[in-house]
Amino acid sequence: MAKPLALTSGEPAGIGPDITLEAWLRRAELKLPAFYLLGDCDLLRDRAQALELDVRLAEVRPEDALATFANALPVVATGIRATARPGSPDDSSAAAAIASIRQAVSDVAAGRAAAIVTNPIAKSVLYGAGFHHPGHTEFLAELAARGGDAPQPVMMLWSPDLAVVPVTIHLSLRDAISQLSGDLIISTARIVAASLKTRFGIARPRLALSGLNPHAGEDGSLGTEEQTIVIPAIDTLRKEGIDVRGPLPADTMFHEAARKTYDCAICMYHDQALIPIKTLAFDDGVNVTLGLPFIRTSPDHGTAFDIAGTGRANPSSLIAALRLAARMAAQPA
C-alpha cells in the first residue's frame, strides 16, 4: 500500500507555509503525491487567510493522510504551538522547526511515511536557540544514527538537466581546502554511485569529478591538489568498478554538451557545485540528502522572510521536491 510523504513545517515565519498551501491547491492539476504537513494547524489556517487561499485543513494521524489528501490538507500536530508572524521569527520558531524534523524522521523510520520532504529552515534562528549543526543535512544524519555511528550524509542538488554533489559542504573556502582529502572524495563518490543505482534507477552511473584549482591545476602549475588528492582517489574508484572521469576543469564541465556525458558532477567545494545548478534550475532544483537510511528531499531555496505571507512565493521547487521524493520511494528496494 502506498504511503504519504512527511513534509516538515520548516521555519514558521518563512515561506514554508505559503508554498505548502500553494502546492496542495495544485494537487489535482499536477497529480502530486499525497503528503501531510507536520506542524501547527492554527498557524497554517492563519497563513491561508492572510494569503486569501481557500484551503481546507484537517488535523489527522499519519495513517489517515492518504484518505484525507484529496479533500483537505492533512496536518499532523507536533505538540509545539507556532506563533511567529510572516517574516518575523519568534521564540516558538526554533522549537517548532526542530520538532517537525524529529517527528518526520520518527514517522519514516516507523513506516508511517514513504519519505521526508523538508521546508526551508533559518539556521540563524536555530543557532540562537542552541542548535549546533551546520544545517538540515547534518542534523538528519544524527537523527538517523539513533545512538550509533552517524552515516555520512551527502548533499546532492538535482534537476532534470544537472545533478551536482559538493565533497565539502558548509565550510569556509579556507576550511574546505584544508579538509579536502582522498578518503572524503572516495566515500562521497561511493555513496553517490550507490544512490544513483538504488534511488534513481541508473544501472551504471557516470560520475564526473572536478579539480580543485583553476584548469584542474594545469599539470601542477596552478596547484598540486589534483595530483596528490583527486587523481589517486579517482584511481581507487575506477579499481572498484565505478565509472568516473576527471579531474575536469570546473569552468568547462557544465555547458550543455558536457552535461550529457555524466549523470552527476562531484565538485570539491560548495559554490563550485551550487553556482551552476542554481543558474540552470533556480526555481525547480531539489536538495537531496544521500547516504541516509531514508529518503529526504527539500526545495533548493531558503526561508525568504521578505516575501513570506505576500503571495509572491514560488512553490515550484517544493513541487519538484515532492515529485522526486515519490519517484525515489517508488524504486524497488
Side-chain angles (χ1 to χ4, degrees):
M1 180 178 178
K3 298 174 185 176
L5 305 174
L7 175 62
T8 69
S9 63
E11 164 55 54
I15 62 170
D18 306 39
I19 58 178
T20 297
L21 293 163
E22 293 280 4
W24 182 81
L25 283 172
R26 299 179 66 182
R27 67 201 181 283
E29 167 198 353
L30 300 178
K31 298 180 180 178
L32 294 184
F35 63 86
Y36 61 88
L37 181 77
L38 287 154
D40 179 27
C41 202
D42 289 338
L43 180 135
L44 207 60
R45 185 175 292 109
D46 290 344
R47 189 68 61 91
Q49 291 176 352
L51 294 170
E52 298 182 348
L53 298 176
D54 184 14
V55 177
R56 181 183 175 192
L57 304 174
E59 194 164 308
V60 301
R61 302 176 306 159
E63 295 83 355
D64 302 322
L66 278 178
T68 304
F69 184 75
N71 299 312
L73 172 56
V75 181
V76 175
T78 61
I80 302 294
R81 176 84 171 95
T83 57
R85 298 180 61 81
S88 301
D90 66 12
D91 291 343
S92 73
S93 288
I98 291 171
S100 184
I101 298 167
R102 287 187 182 277
Q103 187 60 49
V105 173
S106 177
D107 283 355
V108 76
R112 293 185 288 268
I116 298 170
V117 181
T118 58
N119 266 311
I121 56 174
K123 286 178 278 192
S124 60
V125 174
L126 297 184
Y127 294 156
F131 189 77
H132 63 276
H133 301 279
H136 256 132
T137 302
E138 297 81 3
F139 183 40
L140 288 165
E142 180 185 274
L143 294 176
R146 296 190 164 197
D149 293 334
Q152 178 189 344
V154 171
M155 184 175 78
M156 171 186 280
L157 279 296
W158 179 92
S159 75
D161 295 322
L162 176 65
V164 298
V165 166
V167 174
T168 60
I169 308 178
H170 297 116
L171 297 171
S172 69
L173 186 55
R174 185 187 303 275
D175 288 342
I177 293 170
S178 67
Q179 293 188 30
L180 183 68
S181 69
D183 287 345
L184 184 58
I185 293 171
I186 291 166
S187 62
T188 299
R190 285 171 177 162
I191 291 169
V192 173
S195 297
L196 288 174
K197 288 180 182 179
T198 60
R199 299 300 195 188
F200 289 83
I202 301 173
R204 184 167 172 76
R206 301 166 300 164
L207 308 183
L209 264 66
S210 75
L212 172 69
N213 297 295
H215 302 176
E218 198 79 73
D219 293 326
S221 62
L222 294 177
T224 60
E225 287 84 359
E226 285 74 18
Q227 296 164 317
T228 61
I229 299 174
V230 184
I231 292 174
I234 289 173
D235 289 342
T236 297
L237 292 165
R238 284 176 175 161
K239 289 175 183 175
E240 296 177 2
I242 295 175
D243 185 351
V244 56
R245 293 189 299 122
L248 303 175
D251 62 348
T252 59
M253 62 186 291
F254 296 109
H255 61 81
E256 185 176 5
R259 296 196 306 271
K260 293 177 180 178
T261 65
Y262 57 81
D263 299 301
C264 182
I266 299 181
C267 301
M268 298 303 109
Y269 57 91
H270 184 278
D271 285 8
Q272 197 180 48
L274 270 65
I275 287 172
I277 194 165
K278 290 199 175 187
T279 301
L280 290 168
F282 187 80
D283 288 328
D284 55 5
V286 179
N287 186 336
V288 187
T289 305
L290 309 178
L292 301 177
F294 49 79
I295 296 164
R296 178 262 178 160
T297 67
S298 181
D300 182 25
H301 58 67
T303 53
F305 286 133
D306 57 323
I307 62 170
T310 68
R312 293 174 14 226
N314 186 344
S316 295
S317 189
L318 174 60
I319 289 167
L322 291 163
R323 283 177 158 164
L324 183 59
R327 169 186 157 185
M328 293 172 70
Q331 286 294 321

